[in-house]
């Protein structure tokens, strides 16, 4: 199997968008999240936040990053979302079989360095227990939003079954 070149990949994306835009009828969707919801979850291709939560376009702000972890940018985005755009509920969703699970930041940095990528002391967000990572991120967000009228809840999504469960103590 050959890898597509950059031109083929770009053409495929543009063609995919052409099909999408031909039947697009959501141009009227308001920019504020209709359900007042902010979802922070992983960038893993097996996680489809809208579908797994039964949401529609325009229902929520969705932020995805490696591990669905609370980074400085996640806090920045949530502050803007809650203070300026009316979100009042936050769902932190991590998942089973995550690429950042069962490892450490040190190991991840070593693996990256072996591939010629030097990230210095960059925080990766690796973890050994998915429930604990959710609890940590929920606690971090609650502390970051102290005084705000925002509810933060944590979940784990099972990539094998599609089931979502709330994390105890999060």
């Amino acid at each position: 199997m050959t890898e597509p070149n950059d031109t083929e990949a770009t053409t495929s994306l543009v063609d995919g968008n052409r099909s999408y835009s031909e039947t697009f009828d959501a141009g009227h969707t308001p920019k504020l999240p209709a359900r007042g919801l902010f979802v922070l979850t992983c960038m893993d291709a097996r996680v489809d936040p809208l579908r797994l939560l039964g949401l529609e376009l325009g229902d929520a702000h969705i932020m995805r990053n490696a591990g669905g972890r609370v980074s400085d940018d996640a806090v920045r985005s949530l502050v803007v979302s809650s203070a300026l755009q009316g979100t009042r509920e936050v769902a932190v969703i991590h998942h089973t079989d995550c690429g950042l699970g069962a490892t450490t930041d040190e190991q991840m940095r070593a693996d990256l360095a072996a591939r010629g990528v030097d990230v210095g002391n960059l925080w990766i967000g690796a973890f050994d227990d998915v429930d604990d990572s959710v609890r940590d991120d929920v606690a971090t967000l609650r502390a970051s939003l102290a005084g705000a009228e925002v509810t933060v809840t944590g979940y784990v999504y099972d990539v094998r079954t599609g089931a979502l469960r709330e994390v105890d103590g999060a």
Side-chain angles (χ1 to χ4, degrees), residues 130-163:
V130 68
D131 285 25
D132 285 343
S133 69
V134 170
R135 285 184 198 99
D136 290 346
D137 283 352
V138 166
T140 299
L141 283 181
R142 286 179 179 153
S144 297
L145 297 170
E149 295 181 22
V150 177
T151 301
V152 184
T153 311
Y155 304 88
V156 172
Y157 171 70
D158 188 318
V159 298
R160 304 237 187 287
T161 67

PDB file of all heavy atoms in Angstrom, residues 130-163:
ATOM      1  N   VAL A 130      -6.767   5.346  34.686  1.00  0.00           N
ATOM      2  CA  VAL A 130      -7.648   6.266  33.980  1.00  0.00           C
ATOM      3  C   VAL A 130      -8.618   6.971  34.934  1.00  0.00           C
ATOM      4  O   VAL A 130      -8.891   8.162  34.771  1.00  0.00           O
ATOM      5  CB  VAL A 130      -8.387   5.563  32.811  1.00  0.00           C
ATOM      6  CG1 VAL A 130      -9.390   4.536  33.298  1.00  0.00           C
ATOM      7  CG2 VAL A 130      -9.050   6.590  31.895  1.00  0.00           C
ATOM      8  N   ASP A 131      -9.130   6.269  35.941  1.00  0.00           N
ATOM      9  CA  ASP A 131     -10.041   6.921  36.890  1.00  0.00           C
ATOM     10  C   ASP A 131      -9.326   8.017  37.670  1.00  0.00           C
ATOM     11  O   ASP A 131      -9.886   9.106  37.879  1.00  0.00           O
ATOM     12  CB  ASP A 131     -10.648   5.903  37.853  1.00  0.00           C
ATOM     13  CG  ASP A 131     -11.734   5.054  37.218  1.00  0.00           C
ATOM     14  OD1 ASP A 131     -11.727   4.876  35.978  1.00  0.00           O
ATOM     15  OD2 ASP A 131     -12.601   4.563  37.959  1.00  0.00           O
ATOM     16  N   ASP A 132      -8.093   7.741  38.082  1.00  0.00           N
ATOM     17  CA  ASP A 132      -7.322   8.756  38.804  1.00  0.00           C
ATOM     18  C   ASP A 132      -7.028   9.965  37.913  1.00  0.00           C
ATOM     19  O   ASP A 132      -7.057  11.107  38.386  1.00  0.00           O
ATOM     20  CB  ASP A 132      -6.019   8.178  39.348  1.00  0.00           C
ATOM     21  CG  ASP A 132      -6.227   7.301  40.570  1.00  0.00           C
ATOM     22  OD1 ASP A 132      -7.310   7.377  41.195  1.00  0.00           O
ATOM     23  OD2 ASP A 132      -5.299   6.533  40.894  1.00  0.00           O
ATOM     24  N   SER A 133      -6.767   9.730  36.637  1.00  0.00           N
ATOM     25  CA  SER A 133      -6.502  10.863  35.736  1.00  0.00           C
ATOM     26  C   SER A 133      -7.740  11.732  35.605  1.00  0.00           C
ATOM     27  O   SER A 133      -7.650  12.962  35.563  1.00  0.00           O
ATOM     28  CB  SER A 133      -5.998  10.381  34.370  1.00  0.00           C
ATOM     29  OG  SER A 133      -7.006   9.723  33.630  1.00  0.00           O
ATOM     30  N   VAL A 134      -8.916  11.117  35.558  1.00  0.00           N
ATOM     31  CA  VAL A 134     -10.162  11.884  35.496  1.00  0.00           C
ATOM     32  C   VAL A 134     -10.337  12.686  36.785  1.00  0.00           C
ATOM     33  O   VAL A 134     -10.633  13.884  36.749  1.00  0.00           O
ATOM     34  CB  VAL A 134     -11.378  10.956  35.268  1.00  0.00           C
ATOM     35  CG1 VAL A 134     -12.687  11.715  35.459  1.00  0.00           C
ATOM     36  CG2 VAL A 134     -11.319  10.333  33.879  1.00  0.00           C
ATOM     37  N   ARG A 135     -10.135  12.032  37.934  1.00  0.00           N
ATOM     38  CA  ARG A 135     -10.277  12.744  39.220  1.00  0.00           C
ATOM     39  C   ARG A 135      -9.316  13.933  39.299  1.00  0.00           C
ATOM     40  O   ARG A 135      -9.705  15.015  39.745  1.00  0.00           O
ATOM     41  CB  ARG A 135     -10.007  11.782  40.380  1.00  0.00           C
ATOM     42  CG  ARG A 135     -11.115  10.814  40.647  1.00  0.00           C
ATOM     43  CD  ARG A 135     -10.816   9.942  41.882  1.00  0.00           C
ATOM     44  NE  ARG A 135     -11.655   8.781  41.877  1.00  0.00           N
ATOM     45  CZ  ARG A 135     -11.298   7.568  41.454  1.00  0.00           C
ATOM     46  NH1 ARG A 135     -10.061   7.336  41.050  1.00  0.00           N
ATOM     47  NH2 ARG A 135     -12.157   6.582  41.482  1.00  0.00           N
ATOM     48  N   ASP A 136      -8.075  13.722  38.869  1.00  0.00           N
ATOM     49  CA  ASP A 136      -7.085  14.804  38.894  1.00  0.00           C
ATOM     50  C   ASP A 136      -7.531  15.971  38.024  1.00  0.00           C
ATOM     51  O   ASP A 136      -7.433  17.137  38.428  1.00  0.00           O
ATOM     52  CB  ASP A 136      -5.714  14.312  38.416  1.00  0.00           C
ATOM     53  CG  ASP A 136      -5.039  13.360  39.377  1.00  0.00           C
ATOM     54  OD1 ASP A 136      -5.470  13.251  40.547  1.00  0.00           O
ATOM     55  OD2 ASP A 136      -4.062  12.697  38.945  1.00  0.00           O
ATOM     56  N   ASP A 137      -8.005  15.672  36.815  1.00  0.00           N
ATOM     57  CA  ASP A 137      -8.397  16.742  35.895  1.00  0.00           C
ATOM     58  C   ASP A 137      -9.650  17.465  36.370  1.00  0.00           C
ATOM     59  O   ASP A 137      -9.747  18.693  36.251  1.00  0.00           O
ATOM     60  CB  ASP A 137      -8.584  16.189  34.483  1.00  0.00           C
ATOM     61  CG  ASP A 137      -7.252  15.955  33.784  1.00  0.00           C
ATOM     62  OD1 ASP A 137      -6.203  16.361  34.327  1.00  0.00           O
ATOM     63  OD2 ASP A 137      -7.260  15.376  32.679  1.00  0.00           O
ATOM     64  N   VAL A 138     -10.601  16.735  36.924  1.00  0.00           N
ATOM     65  CA  VAL A 138     -11.801  17.374  37.466  1.00  0.00           C
ATOM     66  C   VAL A 138     -11.419  18.310  38.609  1.00  0.00           C
ATOM     67  O   VAL A 138     -11.879  19.458  38.676  1.00  0.00           O
ATOM     68  CB  VAL A 138     -12.842  16.319  37.909  1.00  0.00           C
ATOM     69  CG1 VAL A 138     -13.937  16.941  38.769  1.00  0.00           C
ATOM     70  CG2 VAL A 138     -13.442  15.624  36.686  1.00  0.00           C
ATOM     71  N   ALA A 139     -10.543  17.850  39.504  1.00  0.00           N
ATOM     72  CA  ALA A 139     -10.100  18.685  40.630  1.00  0.00           C
ATOM     73  C   ALA A 139      -9.375  19.932  40.134  1.00  0.00           C
ATOM     74  O   ALA A 139      -9.584  21.031  40.662  1.00  0.00           O
ATOM     75  CB  ALA A 139      -9.203  17.877  41.564  1.00  0.00           C
ATOM     76  N   THR A 140      -8.533  19.774  39.112  1.00  0.00           N
ATOM     77  CA  THR A 140      -7.805  20.918  38.553  1.00  0.00           C
ATOM     78  C   THR A 140      -8.771  21.941  37.970  1.00  0.00           C
ATOM     79  O   THR A 140      -8.628  23.146  38.200  1.00  0.00           O
ATOM     80  CB  THR A 140      -6.807  20.459  37.474  1.00  0.00           C
ATOM     81  OG1 THR A 140      -5.856  19.573  38.077  1.00  0.00           O
ATOM     82  CG2 THR A 140      -6.079  21.632  36.846  1.00  0.00           C
ATOM     83  N   LEU A 141      -9.772  21.478  37.242  1.00  0.00           N
ATOM     84  CA  LEU A 141     -10.741  22.408  36.661  1.00  0.00           C
ATOM     85  C   LEU A 141     -11.572  23.097  37.734  1.00  0.00           C
ATOM     86  O   LEU A 141     -11.820  24.292  37.652  1.00  0.00           O
ATOM     87  CB  LEU A 141     -11.664  21.693  35.674  1.00  0.00           C
ATOM     88  CG  LEU A 141     -11.062  21.389  34.315  1.00  0.00           C
ATOM     89  CD1 LEU A 141     -12.080  20.694  33.428  1.00  0.00           C
ATOM     90  CD2 LEU A 141     -10.549  22.655  33.638  1.00  0.00           C
ATOM     91  N   ARG A 142     -11.989  22.351  38.726  1.00  0.00           N
ATOM     92  CA  ARG A 142     -12.770  22.974  39.801  1.00  0.00           C
ATOM     93  C   ARG A 142     -11.965  24.055  40.505  1.00  0.00           C
ATOM     94  O   ARG A 142     -12.489  25.124  40.825  1.00  0.00           O
ATOM     95  CB  ARG A 142     -13.238  21.909  40.797  1.00  0.00           C
ATOM     96  CG  ARG A 142     -14.367  21.052  40.248  1.00  0.00           C
ATOM     97  CD  ARG A 142     -14.796  19.996  41.230  1.00  0.00           C
ATOM     98  NE  ARG A 142     -15.896  19.209  40.691  1.00  0.00           N
ATOM     99  CZ  ARG A 142     -16.139  17.957  41.033  1.00  0.00           C
ATOM    100  NH1 ARG A 142     -15.390  17.347  41.937  1.00  0.00           N
ATOM    101  NH2 ARG A 142     -17.148  17.318  40.489  1.00  0.00           N
ATOM    102  N   ALA A 143     -10.688  23.796  40.730  1.00  0.00           N
ATOM    103  CA  ALA A 143      -9.832  24.795  41.370  1.00  0.00           C
ATOM    104  C   ALA A 143      -9.623  25.992  40.452  1.00  0.00           C
ATOM    105  O   ALA A 143      -9.609  27.139  40.908  1.00  0.00           O
ATOM    106  CB  ALA A 143      -8.488  24.172  41.748  1.00  0.00           C
ATOM    107  N   SER A 144      -9.481  25.747  39.159  1.00  0.00           N
ATOM    108  CA  SER A 144      -9.268  26.833  38.196  1.00  0.00           C
ATOM    109  C   SER A 144     -10.500  27.700  38.038  1.00  0.00           C
ATOM    110  O   SER A 144     -10.394  28.870  37.683  1.00  0.00           O
ATOM    111  CB  SER A 144      -8.900  26.260  36.819  1.00  0.00           C
ATOM    112  OG  SER A 144      -7.694  25.549  36.885  1.00  0.00           O
ATOM    113  N   LEU A 145     -11.664  27.129  38.282  1.00  0.00           N
ATOM    114  CA  LEU A 145     -12.922  27.842  38.093  1.00  0.00           C
ATOM    115  C   LEU A 145     -13.569  28.228  39.410  1.00  0.00           C
ATOM    116  O   LEU A 145     -14.773  28.498  39.460  1.00  0.00           O
ATOM    117  CB  LEU A 145     -13.892  26.976  37.293  1.00  0.00           C
ATOM    118  CG  LEU A 145     -13.443  26.632  35.878  1.00  0.00           C
ATOM    119  CD1 LEU A 145     -14.356  25.575  35.278  1.00  0.00           C
ATOM    120  CD2 LEU A 145     -13.415  27.871  35.003  1.00  0.00           C
ATOM    121  N   ALA A 146     -12.780  28.243  40.476  1.00  0.00           N
ATOM    122  CA  ALA A 146     -13.319  28.573  41.803  1.00  0.00           C
ATOM    123  C   ALA A 146     -14.118  29.866  41.723  1.00  0.00           C
ATOM    124  O   ALA A 146     -13.659  30.870  41.176  1.00  0.00           O
ATOM    125  CB  ALA A 146     -12.196  28.694  42.823  1.00  0.00           C
ATOM    126  N   GLY A 147     -15.328  29.840  42.233  1.00  0.00           N
ATOM    127  CA  GLY A 147     -16.185  31.016  42.214  1.00  0.00           C
ATOM    128  C   GLY A 147     -17.122  31.065  41.023  1.00  0.00           C
ATOM    129  O   GLY A 147     -18.118  31.773  41.051  1.00  0.00           O
ATOM    130  N   ALA A 148     -16.812  30.299  39.986  1.00  0.00           N
ATOM    131  CA  ALA A 148     -17.685  30.275  38.813  1.00  0.00           C
ATOM    132  C   ALA A 148     -18.838  29.301  39.062  1.00  0.00           C
ATOM    133  O   ALA A 148     -18.689  28.323  39.783  1.00  0.00           O
ATOM    134  CB  ALA A 148     -16.900  29.841  37.576  1.00  0.00           C
ATOM    135  N   GLU A 149     -19.973  29.582  38.471  1.00  0.00           N
ATOM    136  CA  GLU A 149     -21.129  28.702  38.607  1.00  0.00           C
ATOM    137  C   GLU A 149     -21.093  27.644  37.515  1.00  0.00           C
ATOM    138  O   GLU A 149     -21.909  27.647  36.582  1.00  0.00           O
ATOM    139  CB  GLU A 149     -22.414  29.519  38.554  1.00  0.00           C
ATOM    140  CG  GLU A 149     -22.562  30.466  39.727  1.00  0.00           C
ATOM    141  CD  GLU A 149     -23.853  31.263  39.670  1.00  0.00           C
ATOM    142  OE1 GLU A 149     -24.816  30.819  39.002  1.00  0.00           O
ATOM    143  OE2 GLU A 149     -23.880  32.331  40.289  1.00  0.00           O
ATOM    144  N   VAL A 150     -20.133  26.734  37.647  1.00  0.00           N
ATOM    145  CA  VAL A 150     -19.924  25.690  36.655  1.00  0.00           C
ATOM    146  C   VAL A 150     -19.829  24.346  37.369  1.00  0.00           C
ATOM    147  O   VAL A 150     -19.112  24.216  38.360  1.00  0.00           O
ATOM    148  CB  VAL A 150     -18.628  25.949  35.847  1.00  0.00           C
ATOM    149  CG1 VAL A 150     -18.357  24.835  34.861  1.00  0.00           C
ATOM    150  CG2 VAL A 150     -18.704  27.286  35.126  1.00  0.00           C
ATOM    151  N   THR A 151     -20.535  23.353  36.860  1.00  0.00           N
ATOM    152  CA  THR A 151     -20.479  21.996  37.385  1.00  0.00           C
ATOM    153  C   THR A 151     -19.502  21.193  36.534  1.00  0.00           C
ATOM    154  O   THR A 151     -19.601  21.202  35.307  1.00  0.00           O
ATOM    155  CB  THR A 151     -21.872  21.328  37.310  1.00  0.00           C
ATOM    156  OG1 THR A 151     -22.788  22.106  38.066  1.00  0.00           O
ATOM    157  CG2 THR A 151     -21.836  19.913  37.845  1.00  0.00           C
ATOM    158  N   VAL A 152     -18.552  20.512  37.179  1.00  0.00           N
ATOM    159  CA  VAL A 152     -17.559  19.700  36.466  1.00  0.00           C
ATOM    160  C   VAL A 152     -17.749  18.248  36.883  1.00  0.00           C
ATOM    161  O   VAL A 152     -17.737  17.926  38.069  1.00  0.00           O
ATOM    162  CB  VAL A 152     -16.118  20.146  36.786  1.00  0.00           C
ATOM    163  CG1 VAL A 152     -15.118  19.345  35.960  1.00  0.00           C
ATOM    164  CG2 VAL A 152     -15.938  21.645  36.549  1.00  0.00           C
ATOM    165  N   THR A 153     -17.919  17.373  35.897  1.00  0.00           N
ATOM    166  CA  THR A 153     -18.129  15.957  36.141  1.00  0.00           C
ATOM    167  C   THR A 153     -17.169  15.160  35.274  1.00  0.00           C
ATOM    168  O   THR A 153     -16.847  15.573  34.155  1.00  0.00           O
ATOM    169  CB  THR A 153     -19.581  15.560  35.796  1.00  0.00           C
ATOM    170  OG1 THR A 153     -20.471  16.490  36.423  1.00  0.00           O
ATOM    171  CG2 THR A 153     -19.913  14.172  36.287  1.00  0.00           C
ATOM    172  N   GLY A 154     -16.707  14.013  35.789  1.00  0.00           N
ATOM    173  CA  GLY A 154     -15.749  13.199  35.063  1.00  0.00           C
ATOM    174  C   GLY A 154     -16.283  11.829  34.682  1.00  0.00           C
ATOM    175  O   GLY A 154     -17.035  11.213  35.443  1.00  0.00           O
ATOM    176  N   TYR A 155     -15.878  11.363  33.513  1.00  0.00           N
ATOM    177  CA  TYR A 155     -16.350  10.104  32.965  1.00  0.00           C
ATOM    178  C   TYR A 155     -15.209   9.338  32.314  1.00  0.00           C
ATOM    179  O   TYR A 155     -14.195   9.913  31.917  1.00  0.00           O
ATOM    180  CB  TYR A 155     -17.412  10.360  31.880  1.00  0.00           C
ATOM    181  CG  TYR A 155     -18.575  11.177  32.342  1.00  0.00           C
ATOM    182  CD1 TYR A 155     -18.537  12.573  32.269  1.00  0.00           C
ATOM    183  CD2 TYR A 155     -19.719  10.578  32.849  1.00  0.00           C
ATOM    184  CE1 TYR A 155     -19.612  13.342  32.686  1.00  0.00           C
ATOM    185  CE2 TYR A 155     -20.801  11.342  33.270  1.00  0.00           C
ATOM    186  CZ  TYR A 155     -20.735  12.715  33.185  1.00  0.00           C
ATOM    187  OH  TYR A 155     -21.803  13.474  33.605  1.00  0.00           O
ATOM    188  N   VAL A 156     -15.439   8.024  32.139  1.00  0.00           N
ATOM    189  CA  VAL A 156     -14.567   7.184  31.325  1.00  0.00           C
ATOM    190  C   VAL A 156     -15.437   6.541  30.251  1.00  0.00           C
ATOM    191  O   VAL A 156     -16.493   5.968  30.540  1.00  0.00           O
ATOM    192  CB  VAL A 156     -13.851   6.103  32.153  1.00  0.00           C
ATOM    193  CG1 VAL A 156     -13.098   5.132  31.234  1.00  0.00           C
ATOM    194  CG2 VAL A 156     -12.877   6.732  33.144  1.00  0.00           C
ATOM    195  N   TYR A 157     -14.990   6.651  29.023  1.00  0.00           N
ATOM    196  CA  TYR A 157     -15.666   6.058  27.868  1.00  0.00           C
ATOM    197  C   TYR A 157     -14.938   4.765  27.519  1.00  0.00           C
ATOM    198  O   TYR A 157     -13.713   4.744  27.412  1.00  0.00           O
ATOM    199  CB  TYR A 157     -15.615   7.048  26.693  1.00  0.00           C
ATOM    200  CG  TYR A 157     -16.092   6.474  25.380  1.00  0.00           C
ATOM    201  CD1 TYR A 157     -17.436   6.181  25.178  1.00  0.00           C
ATOM    202  CD2 TYR A 157     -15.199   6.242  24.347  1.00  0.00           C
ATOM    203  CE1 TYR A 157     -17.871   5.662  23.972  1.00  0.00           C
ATOM    204  CE2 TYR A 157     -15.636   5.733  23.133  1.00  0.00           C
ATOM    205  CZ  TYR A 157     -16.971   5.439  22.949  1.00  0.00           C
ATOM    206  OH  TYR A 157     -17.403   4.934  21.757  1.00  0.00           O
ATOM    207  N   ASP A 158     -15.691   3.698  27.350  1.00  0.00           N
ATOM    208  CA  ASP A 158     -15.109   2.402  26.990  1.00  0.00           C
ATOM    209  C   ASP A 158     -15.112   2.273  25.468  1.00  0.00           C
ATOM    210  O   ASP A 158     -16.182   2.182  24.850  1.00  0.00           O
ATOM    211  CB  ASP A 158     -15.917   1.271  27.634  1.00  0.00           C
ATOM    212  CG  ASP A 158     -15.262  -0.092  27.471  1.00  0.00           C
ATOM    213  OD1 ASP A 158     -14.745  -0.383  26.367  1.00  0.00           O
ATOM    214  OD2 ASP A 158     -15.270  -0.864  28.443  1.00  0.00           O
ATOM    215  N   VAL A 159     -13.923   2.263  24.865  1.00  0.00           N
ATOM    216  CA  VAL A 159     -13.821   2.229  23.405  1.00  0.00           C
ATOM    217  C   VAL A 159     -14.267   0.892  22.820  1.00  0.00           C
ATOM    218  O   VAL A 159     -14.534   0.810  21.625  1.00  0.00           O
ATOM    219  CB  VAL A 159     -12.398   2.574  22.903  1.00  0.00           C
ATOM    220  CG1 VAL A 159     -11.997   3.984  23.304  1.00  0.00           C
ATOM    221  CG2 VAL A 159     -11.374   1.554  23.392  1.00  0.00           C
ATOM    222  N   ARG A 160     -14.360  -0.142  23.632  1.00  0.00           N
ATOM    223  CA  ARG A 160     -14.786  -1.455  23.143  1.00  0.00           C
ATOM    224  C   ARG A 160     -16.315  -1.615  23.149  1.00  0.00           C
ATOM    225  O   ARG A 160     -16.874  -2.259  22.269  1.00  0.00           O
ATOM    226  CB  ARG A 160     -14.166  -2.557  23.986  1.00  0.00           C
ATOM    227  CG  ARG A 160     -12.659  -2.480  24.030  1.00  0.00           C
ATOM    228  CD  ARG A 160     -11.975  -3.719  23.552  1.00  0.00           C
ATOM    229  NE  ARG A 160     -10.531  -3.713  23.745  1.00  0.00           N
ATOM    230  CZ  ARG A 160      -9.662  -3.009  23.056  1.00  0.00           C
ATOM    231  NH1 ARG A 160     -10.060  -2.201  22.134  1.00  0.00           N
ATOM    232  NH2 ARG A 160      -8.366  -3.106  23.282  1.00  0.00           N
ATOM    233  N   THR A 161     -16.985  -1.016  24.139  1.00  0.00           N
ATOM    234  CA  THR A 161     -18.435  -1.197  24.268  1.00  0.00           C
ATOM    235  C   THR A 161     -19.243   0.044  23.899  1.00  0.00           C
ATOM    236  O   THR A 161     -20.441  -0.053  23.675  1.00  0.00           O
ATOM    237  CB  THR A 161     -18.809  -1.579  25.712  1.00  0.00           C
ATOM    238  OG1 THR A 161     -18.552  -0.469  26.582  1.00  0.00           O
ATOM    239  CG2 THR A 161     -18.042  -2.815  26.182  1.00  0.00           C
ATOM    240  N   GLY A 162     -18.604   1.210  23.901  1.00  0.00           N
ATOM    241  CA  GLY A 162     -19.307   2.462  23.646  1.00  0.00           C
ATOM    242  C   GLY A 162     -19.986   3.034  24.870  1.00  0.00           C
ATOM    243  O   GLY A 162     -20.643   4.062  24.793  1.00  0.00           O
ATOM    244  N   ALA A 163     -19.816   2.368  26.029  1.00  0.00           N
ATOM    245  CA  ALA A 163     -20.486   2.811  27.248  1.00  0.00           C
ATOM    246  C   ALA A 163     -19.689   3.913  27.960  1.00  0.00           C
ATOM    247  O   ALA A 163     -18.464   3.904  27.959  1.00  0.00           O
ATOM    248  CB  ALA A 163     -20.660   1.624  28.208  1.00  0.00           C
TER     249      ALA A 163
END
